[in-house]
Amino acid sequence: MDFLTTLVEKGLIQEADVPAIKKEVNSGKGLENVLVARGVSPEEILEAKGAYYGVPTRSLGREQVPLDVIKFIPEKTVGQYKVFPLGETDGVLEVGFVNPDNLQARDAVQFIASKNNTPFKIYAILESDFEEIRSSYGGLSGEVNKALSELESELSEEEKKMSDSISEIESEEKEEGNGQMKTQIIEDAPVTKIVATILRYATEGRASDIHIEPLDERVRVRFRVDGTMHTRLILPKNVHNAVVARTKILSNMKLDEKRKPQDGRFSAHIEGRKIDFRVSTFPTYYGEKVVMRILDSAKGVIKLDEMEMTKRNLSLVRDAIKQPYGLILISGPTGSGKTTTLYSMVNELDRKTKNVLSLEDPVEYHIEGMNQSQIHPEIGYTFANGLRTTLRQDPDIIMVGEIRDEETAGLAIQAALTGHLVLSTIHTNTAAGVIPRLVDMGVDPYLIAPTLILAIAQRLVKTLCPDAGEPVPVEGSIEKIIENEMSSLPENIRTQIDVPDTVYKARPTDDCPSGTRGRMAVFEMFEMDKDLEQVLLSDPNEATVFGVAQKKGMLTLKQDALLKAFSGKIPFEEVNKV
């Protein structure tokens, strides 16, 4: 019985399809790719693989293998036999096999295990998982592994030097004059390589953040890509202090301060372009954690036309930024793309005939023609203080990075009342929540009505890769979700929306293993009008504001996500995450 027969017995493929599948495989296509294209999920393939070979399975995803485990099996053996060391548990080496029945592969692993006096256990793995994890073998892990080896050898050399007598060390320092500094530079060299390699791979991998986290016996390095965290590297615990120190030096932080958080930033040239890194340290039980936000100014500012807004929303935004004065607020949680939207708006402003200033923390992108200022709360230069100063700079338009407190909110309202256009962000969950949030901050409702032009809420959702969408019929629970969301829309808007027969779910492809790449924003927004002004003055709560705004045609975040799912821009599963 072959593997395809097992798939037929499990009902994953039809027996009549077996000859066609074999033909595709014989033409050079991988079996797993052929099966996935026919609707068999990777999870189902792996389960069937385990049953066929009679061995346990391991789904790797983006799992990162510790460097000391990778050393067990040479790279040549990995590529030749399609095996990969996965870990070590209770002295037993766990090895993933693409084909567990390959006797030559078993013999090769057996020889290596015997040489190291280590028993091994076989796991069935997917070929796609093998290729993905193997790609990092000579990449991030390989480069860092080389640097670690250099570090170990140099540390050993330093230990040998320390065994010499103190008098010999003293005499050497007197003769060289700078012996200590010379030693320090040598010690830092491999650590510099480790940090530089992490930065480069994070940038090339489109990561937005790097997390360096000390654990009990190791250090975990994770990248956030498209909003999701992935473990990319495991480092030995003994290099943690050196990596943190190197990052602090780059960021101009205090090396001897380990008990409280610190913030800093630095720039680096990677692949010929300048990348800014915003750095934060945080004391934890096992040591200092480092988080680096990657700010790639080379990506440029996204144009409003490229933000996939509906015609109504795009029209509202463009009308708002043409107003001579007033307040535009964008809301959403941290990491929802608020600042990106702010920059897109500012990018369309007339910066030649208008005096445009900004207060930011930090300055993420440099906009030509705008006077951008970085606030420094540690020296008393806050958004509130900066806003007072900005008003003395004869501004026409002011961008404030965030309204965080009552003082900043009051000053922003006053600036809008006195003839300035103010754009800013605020932390609320919905567009309707902007108004009660301002009221909670102490702003009088009668001041909000004449100043607030536009309130926006947004979230980020993953986008489908080209040709990675698998059609799913609109029926059952999917149909119910759509009906429920559409029922709250006014009749005149609901009749304009065509619900398709199919939506799409993410399907892995050779070029796009997850089926998604990148993110786009979904929006909900409303403009201030006479009806909303009456609500503000009588009952400024979120539910009342929301009811009036939706009658005026506001789409909710989820409804906007549905429209993007209908057009095949995002997988349908992203709708439920909004």
Side-chain angles (χ1 to χ4, degrees), residues 32 62-63 162 195 249 458 531 563:
E32 288 179 21
R62 292 178 178 267
E63 181 178 324
M162 289 296 290
V195 174
I249 289 169
Q458 70 176 74
D531 293 331
L563 295 185

Side-chain angles (χ1 to χ4, degrees), residues 43-87:
E43 293 78 14
E44 291 170 330
I45 296 172
L46 185 59
E47 183 185 351
K49 211 169 187 179
Y52 176 70
Y53 291 113
V55 297
T57 62
R58 181 77 71 85
S59 178
L60 305 182
R62 292 178 178 267
E63 181 178 324
Q64 185 67 34
V65 179
L67 295 172
D68 55 344
V69 174
I70 287 179
K71 295 177 183 177
F72 269 106
I73 301 180
E75 187 175 356
K76 184 178 179 181
T77 303
V78 168
Q80 183 175 352
Y81 297 109
K82 293 191 175 181
V83 297
F84 204 93
L86 305 177

Side-chain angles (χ1 to χ4, degrees), residues 239-258:
V239 304
H240 172 252
N241 289 336
V243 169
V244 172
R246 173 61 182 165
T247 308
K248 283 184 172 182
I249 289 169
L250 289 170
S251 311
N252 290 319
M253 295 182 188
K254 296 178 181 178
L255 288 174
D256 58 343
E257 181 54 79
K258 300 181 180 182

